Amino acid sequence: MTTTLLLNVTEDGLRLPRQLFRQTGEVEVVERNDYILIKPKSSEPRDARARAIAALREAQLLVRPDWEQLSIVSPAERAELAQKAGQGKPLSEIIIDERDDRA
């Protein structure tokens, strides 16, 4: 839809009649050599990563898992695990030993 208007420029700037625009939200002003374009601001994310994620979600190729997130391991627990893993035994044997200790 194209509408042509005769406009007056005031000291405040260019004033446009509100009835010409339905809920514009934020607008973007683009300067060209022979005109100025006022258009709704794009709602698309600007950075490449955000655009890629948005495209994957729209194509239903990216979903949030419905299982619980894993708990965060504290630095003390990490140190304990590093000490156990550094004993020279294979990890499978360490796990078996821990299971036997719990039983």
Side-chain angles (χ1 to χ4, degrees):
M1 174 181 110
T2 303
T3 304
T4 305
L5 301 171
L6 294 174
L7 300 173
N8 291 325
V9 178
T10 67
E11 290 178 9
D12 296 337
L14 178 64
R15 292 187 184 198
L16 303 171
R18 172 50 80 187
Q19 64 267 21
L20 291 177
F21 301 97
R22 295 184 204 126
Q23 299 178 335
T24 56
E26 289 188 52
V27 294
E28 182 177 356
V29 178
V30 181
E31 274 189 68
R32 302 286 188 220
N33 290 335
D34 56 341
Y35 65 92
I36 295 175
L37 176 65
I38 301 171
K39 63 181 188 174
K41 196 168 195 174
S42 175
S43 62
E44 282 190 27
R46 292 191 180 263
D47 67 329
R49 182 176 188 275
R51 283 195 316 268
I53 290 172
L56 289 170
R57 280 203 177 112
E58 186 176 319
Q60 296 181 345
L61 296 173
L62 183 66
V63 296
R64 291 190 186 273
D66 58 355
W67 60 79
E68 286 184 34
Q69 286 188 331
L70 299 176
S71 61
I72 297 174
V73 178
S74 71
E77 289 175 303
R78 279 190 211 161
E80 183 183 339
L81 290 170
Q83 184 181 8
K84 287 180 182 178
Q87 292 176 358
K89 292 166 75 174
L91 181 59
S92 58
E93 288 181 23
I94 294 171
I95 292 170
I96 291 169
D97 290 344
E98 282 188 3
R99 285 182 184 162
D100 290 342
D101 290 344
R102 290 182 188 167

